[in-house]
Amino acid sequence: MTTLKKGDQAPNFSAKDQDGTVHTLADYQGKKLVVFFYPKANTPGCTAEACDLRDNFARFQANNYALLGVSADNAKAQANFKNKFEFPFPLLADEDKSVIQAFGVWGPKKFMGKEYDGIHRTTFVIDENGLIDEVISEVKTKDHAAQILK
């Protein structure tokens, strides 16, 4: 899957969030950035993961982190997801999968015996200089903030 690893330069992405605002890597210079990729808005695992991050958002802010959620859902689906659960962070609607491909999290998956291509639930922690500090591929959806804020 992803070939990005600790110490690599993060991909210089650009994508619109649920409100049509464009986000790029450069926007987060000087902050630590958590980019979490999830398969689909409003599904149980993705909801648990994003709610755990929401519930710990003050801790992220206190440690100079910004958060960005990314999936291939459209802006309307992302807006519904964000509003329903009152997420304090933007959700990128990466419909053309440009960010997903740049980070290398798209590929073959298995679910209930079926193989298909999809997003691998993966989180990238990017430092203040745009370098990858950590790649978390074994995401614990209900306890994800603790995996990041060690």
Side-chain angles (χ1 to χ4, degrees):
M1 260 333 298
T2 183
T3 53
L4 292 171
K5 58 193 181 307
K6 182 177 171 72
D8 287 352
Q9 175 65 47
N12 193 7
F13 64 86
S14 174
K16 288 183 179 167
D17 68 12
Q18 72 287 337
D19 300 321
T21 304
V22 174
H23 295 262
T24 66
L25 181 62
D27 296 339
Y28 295 94
Q29 186 78 32
K31 267 193 167 327
K32 288 180 270 203
L33 177 62
V34 174
V35 183
F36 66 100
F37 291 89
Y38 56 94
K40 192 151 181 51
N42 265 315
T43 54
C46 301
T47 300
E49 177 183 5
C51 286
D52 180 56
L53 296 174
R54 174 200 67 201
D55 295 347
N56 288 281
F57 191 64
R59 288 175 59 207
F60 282 106
Q61 286 186 303
N63 288 289
N64 196 34
Y65 283 94
L67 277 73
L68 275 181
V70 186
S71 75
D73 293 295
N74 64 31
K76 188 173 190 289
Q78 296 291 43
N80 290 343
F81 189 35
K82 183 179 186 333
N83 295 336
K84 181 175 176 183
F85 295 101
E86 298 179 349
F87 297 137
F89 41 78
L91 300 176
L92 301 186
D94 190 24
E95 289 184 90
D96 67 358
K97 302 184 187 71
S98 63
V99 182
I100 291 161
Q101 301 276 13
F103 279 86
V105 297
W106 182 263
K109 296 176 69 164
K110 264 197 172 107
F111 184 69
M112 296 172 84
K114 285 197 174 103
E115 274 210 30
Y116 62 98
D117 279 347
I119 297 172
H120 287 255
R121 186 187 309 278
T122 311
T123 296
F124 295 85
V125 182
I126 300 167
D127 74 11
E128 296 86 344
N129 303 309
L131 297 176
I132 293 173
D133 196 37
E134 190 177 8
V135 179
I136 303 170
S137 51
E138 301 292 323
V139 171
K140 296 181 181 129
T141 56
K142 293 182 171 68
D143 200 24
H144 194 34
Q147 288 182 285
I148 301 165
L149 297 166
K150 295 188 228 10

